[in-house]
Amino acid sequence: MLPIVLHNYYRSSTSYRVRIALAMKGMSFTYVARHIRSGGNRVPDYLAMNPQGLVPTMVWPDGSVLGQSLAIIEFLEEMRPTPALLPADPFGRARVRMLAQMIASDLHPVNNFRILDTLRERYKADDADVADWFASWVRATFDPLETLLSTSPETGTFCHGDTPGLADICLVAQAVNNQRYQIDMAAYPVITRIVDECLKLRPFIDAHPSNQPDAE
Ligand SMILES: N[C@@H](CCC(=O)N[C@@H](CS)C(=O)NCC(=O)O)C(=O)O
């Protein structure tokens, strides 16, 4: 059988999400590096698979192609249900998706490379402006996320109970990304505790940007 192929970039948090999910489920894959800072996501063979030109893209062994990290992770969840990345009960699943989407739908898109590049190129933002933009959008999601996590009885060792799942995947990928912008985490003790717990686990370590073949 052909291997799963993941077209991705070591420093991309959406790529990191999928790498963690694959590692948690014990699914091996072929790593294809797409260097998005030098246009590896804009070349014709990549755009033929993923016309959005965003990483990651996964090619399943039967040749089926999927973009969008959360769609890929939910597909993996259906193809290999254990260990589960979503809780068994409907409310738990909804809560985990809510936490994941706060990061994936509301935070990540406005701090994506193409947005930061647009700020620099079209609006002449300098490094300080971009850092301020990045930090302000992190706060806009991390402040309410900290409130939700610190006040909910559903929060345990991880975002939902004592098993890591989809919300933790999105949280850790974002938290690692934040480090590039020296985000002050003092206001986020519960988030920090959860991230630290996750980063003790092999799948989160193996999938970490610094442990990828294209890491610089
Ligand atoms: N919603 C998409 C977002 C994918 C995405 O934006 N990936 C970033 C890297 S983290 C990317 O490819 N950026 C290229 C660019 O901004 O030009 C997903 O979850 O997969």
Side-chain angles (χ1 to χ4, degrees):
M1 196 164 81
L2 291 170
I4 297 168
V5 178
L6 188 67
H7 295 260
N8 74 134
Y9 178 53
Y10 79 103
R11 221 170 66 176
S12 141
S13 66
T14 53
S15 299
Y16 186 20
R17 290 177 198 158
V18 175
R19 293 194 304 261
I20 298 167
L22 285 163
M24 287 175 81
K25 290 188 175 290
M27 299 167 95
S28 59
F29 62 97
T30 299
Y31 190 109
V32 178
R34 294 284 177 175
H35 196 296
I36 65 180
R37 304 312 293 161
S38 52
N41 54 325
R42 295 275 157 205
V43 291
D45 75 308
Y46 190 72
L47 290 174
M49 287 187 298
N50 184 329
Q52 275 193 297
L54 299 173
V55 292
T57 298
M58 186 194 67
V59 185
W60 194 244
D62 69 1
S64 307
V65 177
L66 266 183
Q68 291 292 336
S69 59
L70 294 197
I72 295 170
I73 293 171
E74 294 242 11
F75 174 75
L76 298 175
E77 178 81 346
E78 290 187 25
M79 299 307 284
R80 187 167 297 185
T82 51
L85 302 178
L86 290 166
D89 63 300
F91 178 78
R93 282 198 294 281
R95 179 175 179 270
V96 166
R97 289 188 176 113
M98 171 187 74
L99 299 172
Q101 285 173 22
M102 287 173 69
I103 294 165
S105 304
D106 298 333
L107 200 179
H108 174 270
V110 289
N111 278 352
N112 200 355
F113 287 114
R114 59 184 175 173
I115 303 298
L116 305 184
D117 285 348
T118 301
L119 290 174
R120 288 182 200 280
E121 285 159 22
R122 198 180 303 167
Y123 300 106
K124 309 301 171 217
D126 61 18
D127 287 347
D129 295 326
V130 170
D132 180 62
W133 171 280
F134 191 100
S136 68
W137 290 114
V138 169
R139 283 194 300 276
T141 288
F142 271 36
D143 287 2
L145 189 57
E146 177 73 17
T147 301
L148 283 173
L149 290 170
S150 61
T151 56
S152 169
E154 313 281 354
T155 305
T157 306
F158 300 101
C159 287
H160 193 83
D162 296 327
T163 311
L166 180 65
D168 304 287
I169 289 174
C170 292
L171 180 62
V172 169
Q174 182 62 48
V176 168
N177 211 17
N178 289 353
Q179 290 167 357
R180 294 198 355 257
Y181 289 87
Q182 281 107 41
I183 302 295
D184 182 4
M185 294 296 285
Y188 309 120
V190 176
I191 289 176
T192 301
R193 175 183 64 70
I194 292 171
V195 169
D196 289 349
E197 283 300 325
C198 289
L199 287 172
K200 291 177 190 165
L201 303 176
R202 204 71 244 171
F204 288 82
I205 297 168
D206 290 345
H208 191 279
S210 61
N211 292 327
Q212 305 316 304
D214 54 338
E216 291 163 3

